[in-house]
Amino acid sequence: MIVLIAHVGHWAINLLYVAPLVVAVGVLGYQARKDRRGGARGEPAVRHPPSEPPPA
Amino acid sequence: MNRRRLLVLCLAGLGTVLAWAPASALAHGLVGRQDLPIPKWLFGWAAAAVLVASFVALAVLWPKPRLEQAPERRVAGVPRFLEPLLGAIGLAFFGLVVYAGFAGSQTTTNNLAPTAIFVLLWVGIPIASLFFGDVFKAFNPWRAAARAVAWLAAKVSRGGLPAPMPYPVRLGRWPAAIGILAFAWIELVYSGRGDPSNLAVLALAYMAVQFVGMSLYGIEPWNRYGDAFGVYFGLIARMSPLRWTRTALFVRKPLRGLTNLDIVPGTVALVILIIGTTSFDGFSGGPAWGTIGPDLTSLFGELGLGPGSALELAFTLGLVVVVLIVGGMYRLGVIGMGTIDPQGASTQELAARFAHTLVPIGLAYVVAHYFSLLAYEGQRMAYLVSDPLGTGANIFGTHNATVDYTWVSATTIWYVQVAALVIGHVAGLVLAHERALVSFDGDSQLATRSQYWMLVVMIAFTSLGLWLLSAANA
C-alpha cells in the first residue's frame, strides 16, 4: 500500500486519460436511465422511422 | 437562426474555448522534450471535446445522407499502357528489394529491403493511398506478374485455360486478416526482422502464397479479398477522393468509397487487427510493457524456453492481448448500440454494419504511431536508391545523403499525431452517422440516438491512442 501511494504520481496521471471516457459513459448511463423512466411513464423513448409505423 | 443551430454554435464555441483556455493559462509551462504548452493528458480532454462537438454538429447539421448516394465524376482518361507499365515498375522494384536482401549488406540500415518494407510499404503506401487512391493496386508486383503470366498462357493455349474457382464467401477477408497479423508479428515480434535475407525469403514466400490464391480463385477476386496488402491499402484508398480504373480517373467525395464497402466475413477482424497491432507497437514502447515484458520473458524462460524464444513468446502474448482488448472495446460499443437500436439488429450484424467506420481510425493510428518513422527513417531511401545493396555504389549520386533528425521537431510530430487521431475519429463519427441515417430512413433523431455508443467507442479509441503515444514518448 505504501509503495502504491508513494508512486501515485506515476500511475495517477494515466487515469486522467480515462476521465473523458468515464464522463461519456456516465452521461450515457444517466440518459439511458432517464429514457427508461420516461418509458415507464408511457412516453415514447424514440420516434419510429417513417417506413416503420409504431405498433398499435 | 433556429434554436438547435444556436445550440450547436454555442457548444462549438464552448469546445473551442475549453480546448484553448488551458493553453493560454499554462502557456509558460513547458512539458517534456516536446516543448508542449499544456500537459499531454489535456490533449486527450480537448480531443474528446472536439469529438462531442462534432457529434452534436452532425446531429444538427447533417440531417440527411450525403455520402452513400453521392455521385462520382470522371475527370480524365487513363492510357491503356499505364497499368502494365506501372505493374512492370512494381515488379522490378520488388525484384530489386529481394535481390538486395539476398546479395546486399546484412546490416539493416545499409540494405534497401528493411527500409523499403517497413517504411515505404507499411507506412508510405497507406498515406499515399489516402491522397492518390489505390496506388498499390497499380504497382502490385504479384498482381502484375500473375496478369503477365495469364496473358501469356491465354495466348499459348488459345483460350483453353480452365476458369478459376469461385471465391468462397465464407473465406471473405480472412486470408487478408491473417496476412496482416503475420506481417505485424514479423514487424513487432520476430527477432530476425532486421536481417535483410530473412525479409527476402519472407517476401518470396508471401508472393508464392499470392500466386496459389490467384491461380485458384482468379487474380481480381484474390486481390480484392485475399491479398493482405492489396486489401489493406484498398480499404485506405476508399477514403480517397480519387478512384482509378483501367481506363479512367474519377473524383468523389472523401470517405465516399467506404460507404459501399461490401461486408464479408473477416472485415471486422481485419480493421481491428490494423488498430490493435499498431496499438501494441505503441504499448510495447511504453513503461507499462517495460515492467510486464521482462517479467513475462523470465517466466517463459523458467518454463524452459531459450532467451530469444521466451522474448518472442512474451511479445506474441502481448500482441494478442492488445488486439483482443481493442476488439473488445469495439464489441462493447456495438453491444451498447444494440440496446438502443429500435430495429433489434444482432451484435454481429451491427458490428459488420459499422465496420467501415473503423478504417479512418486504423489509418489515424498508423499515421500517429509511424509518422516519425516515415519522417526520419524514410530519409534513408535517399542513399539506398543509390546504393541498394550497401556495397558503396553511387548510382544516382546520393550515396552520401544522411538522415537529418532536425528537419521536423518532436513537438511538430506530437501535433501531427494528435491531429491524425482527432481527424481520423471525426471521420469515423461522420461515417457512423451517415450509416445510421441510411439505416433509419433519414430519421436524424433516431440515427443520432443510435450513435451515442459509437461516440463512446471513438472517445475510448482516441484516449487509448493518446495514452499510448504519450507513454511511448515519455
Side-chain angles (χ1 to χ4, degrees):
Chain A
M1 182 57 88
I2 291 168
V3 174
L4 206 65
I5 294 167
H7 292 278
V8 71
H10 292 146
W11 57 263
I13 197 85
N14 293 327
L15 294 180
L16 290 169
Y17 287 91
V18 192
L21 183 63
V22 173
V23 171
V25 172
V27 169
L28 205 63
Y30 170 75
Q31 185 64 36
R33 216 176 120 195
K34 209 171 129 188
D35 286 347
R36 268 201 303 275
R37 282 183 181 170
R41 284 200 300 270
E43 296 164 9
V46 291
R47 287 203 287 123
H48 289 266
S51 62
E52 191 185 319
Chain B
M1 186 183 293
N2 65 35
R3 285 170 64 190
R4 287 170 79 192
R5 278 176 192 254
L6 190 65
L7 176 69
V8 171
L9 284 177
C10 287
L11 278 171
L14 183 67
T16 312
V17 169
L18 280 174
W20 286 106
S24 51
L26 303 170
H28 59 280
L30 302 180
V31 181
R33 286 168 294 163
Q34 285 159 324
D35 201 16
L36 301 174
I38 55 172
K40 284 180 182 173
W41 55 264
L42 212 44
F43 281 92
W45 291 25
V50 171
L51 286 181
V52 172
S54 306
F55 184 82
V56 176
L58 282 170
V60 179
L61 305 174
W62 195 304
K64 286 190 165 52
R66 293 181 185 186
L67 287 175
E68 303 226 358
Q69 301 302 327
E72 55 181 20
R73 190 165 50 88
R74 186 182 185 276
V75 286
V78 173
R80 285 193 175 275
F81 69 84
L82 197 62
E83 190 183 34
L85 177 69
L86 297 180
I89 292 171
L91 188 57
F93 188 71
F94 177 81
L96 177 64
V97 168
V98 171
Y99 179 70
F102 284 126
S105 158
Q106 292 303 299
T107 305
T108 307
T109 51
N110 288 345
N111 193 300
L112 175 68
T115 305
I117 292 171
F118 292 127
V119 182
L120 202 63
L121 176 78
W122 193 236
V123 188
I125 299 280
I127 295 173
S129 303
L130 173 68
F131 295 107
F132 306 114
D134 200 350
V135 287
F136 181 74
K137 189 178 178 184
F139 291 98
N140 186 335
W142 31 92
R143 179 173 175 266
R147 283 174 64 83
V149 170
W151 180 79
L152 266 177
K155 287 272 177 202
V156 172
S157 68
R158 292 178 185 171
L161 288 174
M165 295 190 289
Y167 188 82
V169 177
R170 67 177 188 283
L171 265 188
R173 291 190 173 90
W174 278 111
I178 292 165
I180 290 294
L181 181 62
F183 183 87
W185 186 86
I186 290 164
E187 186 207 6
L188 306 174
V189 178
Y190 178 46
S191 56
R193 62 184 176 272
D195 185 335
S197 64
N198 283 346
L199 293 178
V201 170
L202 289 166
L204 286 178
Y206 184 79
M207 193 180 208
V209 171
Q210 301 316 298
F211 282 150
V212 172
M214 286 185 286
S215 60
L216 285 175
Y217 301 117
I219 296 170
E220 296 311 326
W222 182 260
N223 274 280
R224 205 173 302 133
Y225 298 112
D227 173 9
F229 298 108
V231 174
Y232 169 37
F233 301 143
L235 276 180
I236 302 293
R238 282 172 177 268
M239 295 166 61
S240 171
L242 300 182
R243 186 175 75 85
W244 299 84
T245 67
R246 276 180 204 166
T247 54
L249 170 64
F250 295 87
V251 174
R252 61 190 175 188
K253 286 185 176 176
L255 303 176
R256 163 73 177 83
L258 277 174
T259 60
N260 58 6
L261 176 71
D262 53 335
I263 300 299
V264 295
T267 306
V268 177
L270 178 67
V271 283
I272 290 294
L273 276 167
I274 293 166
I275 300 172
T277 54
T278 313
S279 299
F280 178 69
D281 196 14
F283 180 67
S284 62
W289 182 253
T291 310
I292 303 166
D295 286 349
L296 269 178
T297 306
S298 57
L299 174 74
F300 292 132
E302 285 164 17
L303 292 174
L305 289 177
S309 304
L311 189 68
E312 283 183 347
L313 192 57
F315 269 73
T316 305
L317 191 63
L319 179 68
V320 171
V321 169
V322 171
V323 168
L324 289 177
I325 289 172
V326 168
M329 282 165 67
Y330 180 59
R331 187 91 183 166
L332 274 179
V334 169
I335 290 171
M337 214 191 301
T339 61
I340 296 174
D341 183 39
Q343 293 176 341
S346 68
T347 305
Q348 198 90 352
E349 199 181 325
L350 283 172
R353 195 189 293 171
F354 288 91
H356 68 297
T357 65
L358 298 181
V359 176
I361 300 169
L363 180 65
Y365 265 59
V366 168
V367 173
H369 287 275
Y370 298 124
F371 176 71
S372 56
L373 186 80
L374 186 67
Y376 296 138
E377 299 301 312
Q379 294 177 56
R380 295 195 193 283
M381 287 304 291
Y383 67 79
L384 287 170
V385 291
S386 271
D387 185 14
L389 307 187
T391 52
N394 196 5
I395 301 166
F396 299 109
T398 55
H399 171 76
N400 293 323
T402 53
V403 176
D404 178 5
Y405 286 102
T406 60
W407 84 274
V408 55
S409 69
T411 308
T412 306
I413 286 176
W414 171 257
Y415 284 123
V416 169
Q417 291 171 326
V418 174
L421 281 175
V422 172
I423 293 169
H425 287 81
V426 169
L429 276 179
V430 168
L431 286 167
H433 180 74
E434 174 83 9
R435 179 54 50 89
L437 281 173
V438 173
S439 300
F440 299 127
D441 293 335
D443 186 327
S444 63
Q445 193 183 339
L446 204 58
T448 302
R449 202 182 148 71
S450 74
Q451 291 309 295
Y452 287 160
W453 282 97
M454 192 51 96
L455 174 65
V456 172
V457 170
M458 298 299 171
I459 291 175
F461 279 134
T462 308
S463 302
L464 173 71
L466 286 171
W467 176 69
L468 290 170
L469 289 172
S470 68
N473 293 334

